Structures are given as structure tokens and as C-alpha cells.
Amino acid sequence: MSGPHQPPAPLTVTSRLGLALGSGAARGLAHIGVLKVLEEADIPVYAIAGTSIGAFIGALYAAGVPVSRMEQVARELDWRRLARLLNPTMPTSGLVDGSKLVEFMAELLPVNSFEELRLPLAVTATDIETGDPLIIRRGDLLEALRAALAFPGIFPPVCFGERFLVDGGLCNPVPADVARHLGADRVIGVCTIPTVVKQAPEAHLPRRRSTETYRLDLFSAAGIEQLFRRLLGTESPAATTAEPNGRKVPGIFRVCAQSVAIMENQINDLRLSGNHHDLLIRPACHGVTLLDFHRAAEIITSGEDAARAALPQILQLAGRR
């Protein structure tokens, strides 16, 4: 029998906990907040699967970069610094060549390959020619991250062997199944793309739906349009023709932005409905767009708040006793 002054036995974790860190551009900074809470609660992560910015933050963590360092860098990333990373190029297959972004990642990452990481990591990408989802978990880490972050139309596809790869969010925005593939027996998904809330369309009523009756929270539409305009030096909206009802036809920037946003939102909801995760954390990032990296402090806090709210479930999943 234990004596009255004997210290309690240390807590142990019995499950191999995996993280599936999803896409979301600036909203993905919420992953830092989630990792912060896991560290504070002393919950070890067995493996990480990441998509897009989730792949980058997952790689930093798997490489042993302190969460405090990630937070510091994120807080310092304003629009001017971001603009220096997004060096425009003559549009061929993308508006930005991505070389400055690779340099930025290389400065932060202390390793060059997957094999040097301290815990298993997989990143997702999409074959732009076939639509196949790809899982990368070996070899050159920077090239894999470059492919995982190659947002279509912004960055050019990355040549990877015989394939041309782009952002994995097109196929698998929150790769919980990939985390299980790495050996995790419990998986926490972190999704920073908000839920789509909308009513069924009524094509026979050709009137403009008000924001009170129709709301589609497109996580990136405004951000993508803003990025297109800034990179091409077209700050003012392009001239558009008007329809008989007086409404102007959306310009090319808005059409591209809305199309990508609608597709990613719909894909995200379909993938999440498969329920491959044991717990889904959804930080409240409403109103944050693609390029709102200057709002890092509030985005990271949203990740912390969501993870703390889910901490009892996280502890249960980890088998903490």
C-alpha cells in the first residue's frame, strides 16, 4: 500500500495518437494553437499527416521545431513579408514560382529528408494530370512540401518523378486515413475550413438570394481574388458587362476565386463525412481569408481554444491514465 506522502505514479499514454492537419492557408495557423495545447497537456504525438499548410506545420513539428518558434515566426509574417515570398513570374502554369517560399521553409526546417524527422510524417499531394491523390513520406522533404503547398493557379505544379503535383487539398483536405496508414490507432483531425451553410437552390425563382437566406462561407474566395489582383498589379475590378436585370457579370478574378473555393468546400465536406477521424477539431476562423496571415495571433488562439475545449476527449483518446 502506498504511504500518505508517496508521489502519484506518472501518467502514461496507451494509444498511438495521430494528427491529420488540414488545409486552409492562413487559417491553418490554428494548427500551431492545437499543437501548443497538446504540448501543455504533455500528450505525445505518434505520427502526423498533413495537407497544404498542415503539411508544412506538421513537418516543422516532426522535425523538432519548438511550437514557440512557430508562433513567433507566424506573428512576424505580415503582408509585406508575405509579398516577398510570393515572387510573381510570367504566368504559364502559375502566378508565383515558389522559389522564395522554398527558401523560407529551408530556413526554418533543421532537416532535409523525411528519414531525418523525429516522428513519422506523410504529406498529401494531387497529380494534376490524373487527379490521383498521392502520399509522400520518403525522400526530399522540401520538394514534397513544395508540392503539397502548390495551390492551383497560384504556384506551378511540381515535377515529382513522372508526375506533376499540386496541393493535396484538392483530394484530401484532412488526411485522417493517411495518419492511420502511418500506424496511428487514434486520429485527431484538425479542419480550419468552416462548414458550408446553405439552402437548397430553387432554379425556377431567378432572384438574388439575400445573405439572410443564403450563406456560403467560402474560405478563400476573397483571398484568392485579392492575391490575383496584387500579383498582376490589377487592384481595381475589371470592367464587366451588365445583364438585363442590372446585375454585373462577375469578372474573371471573382469567377476563378469562387470556383476554387466552392470546389474545396464541397470536397472538404464530402471527405469529412467519411468519418475517418476519432475526433474532429474545428477552430472558429470565420471571416479569415486566404491571405490573412497578419491575423496570426487570433488564428493561433482559435486553435488553442478549440483544442482546450476538446481536451477531455483528447485525453480519453490518448488513453491517458
Side-chain angles (χ1 to χ4, degrees):
M1 180 179 294
S2 301
H5 302 294
Q6 185 174 346
L11 296 175
T12 59
V13 172
T14 58
S15 297
R16 293 185 297 186
L17 193 65
L19 294 181
L21 304 181
S23 56
R27 278 183 169 144
L29 296 178
H31 298 318
I32 297 173
V34 173
L35 291 170
K36 189 174 179 180
V37 171
L38 293 180
E39 283 204 342
E40 288 174 356
D42 197 27
I43 298 173
V45 174
Y46 175 79
I48 297 178
T51 293
S52 195
I53 191 170
F56 179 42
I57 292 175
L60 292 173
Y61 192 76
V65 176
V67 176
S68 59
R69 172 61 176 156
M70 297 184 212
E71 185 171 9
Q72 176 192 2
V73 172
R75 287 173 178 269
E76 294 172 352
L77 193 60
D78 57 15
W79 168 249
R80 288 184 180 180
R81 190 173 181 189
L82 180 64
R84 289 196 294 269
L85 298 177
L86 302 177
N87 49 320
T89 185
M90 181 64 69
T92 52
S93 55
L95 297 177
V96 178
D97 70 14
S99 60
K100 296 290 186 182
L101 182 61
V102 172
E103 291 175 9
F104 173 73
M105 292 190 293
E107 290 176 4
L108 293 175
L109 281 166
V111 301
N112 298 313
S113 68
F114 283 84
E115 289 75 14
E116 297 173 83
L117 297 172
R118 65 184 181 93
L119 56 87
L121 171 75
V123 306
T124 67
T126 303
D127 186 320
I128 194 60
E129 295 180 309
T130 67
D132 292 337
L134 271 295
I135 300 171
I136 308 173
R137 53 175 302 194
R138 295 183 179 84
D140 191 317
L141 181 58
L142 280 173
E143 277 301 289
L145 291 176
R146 185 174 183 175
L149 289 162
F151 195 89
I154 306 298
F155 296 101
V158 175
C159 183
F160 213 86
E162 297 297 317
R163 298 176 181 266
F164 288 99
L165 304 184
V166 296
D167 194 325
L170 295 181
C171 290
N172 201 350
V174 184
D177 53 336
V178 179
R180 292 192 190 282
H181 180 72
L182 292 174
D185 50 35
R186 295 289 185 272
V187 176
I188 297 173
V190 184
C191 177
T192 63
I193 299 175
T195 304
V196 174
V197 180
K198 58 185 178 181
Q199 292 182 342
E202 297 184 34
H204 62 284
L205 295 176
R207 63 181 179 83
R208 184 179 183 181
R209 289 182 287 267
S210 69
T211 54
E212 288 75 29
T213 59
Y214 182 86
R215 176 173 175 272
L216 177 57
D217 192 351
L218 300 176
F219 89 97
S220 60
I224 297 171
E225 183 176 19
Q226 179 189 39
L227 180 57
F228 282 159
R229 293 192 186 284
R230 287 187 172 180
L231 290 176
L232 295 180
T234 313
E235 290 290 347
S236 58
T240 55
T241 57
E243 289 293 296
N245 62 7
R247 295 192 64 204
K248 291 184 177 180
V249 178
I252 185 171
F253 294 121
R254 174 57 60 178
V255 170
C256 291
Q258 293 286 84
S259 298
V260 173
I262 289 169
M263 286 187 289
E264 188 136 18
N265 274 273
Q266 297 295 336
I267 292 167
N268 184 63
D269 280 2
L270 286 171
R271 293 290 302 193
L272 290 180
S273 66
N275 198 26
H276 297 294
H277 48 268
D278 296 286
L279 172 65
L280 182 65
I281 296 176
R282 299 195 84 154
C285 296
H286 296 287
V288 178
T289 61
L290 182 73
L291 295 179
D292 283 346
F293 287 93
H294 63 283
R295 298 171 64 180
E298 72 174 274
I299 299 170
I300 292 171
T301 297
S302 73
E304 290 183 55
D305 292 343
R308 287 200 175 93
L311 195 54
Q313 295 164 276
I314 296 172
L315 290 168
Q316 185 177 11
L317 285 176
R320 178 60 68 86
R321 54 182 175 80

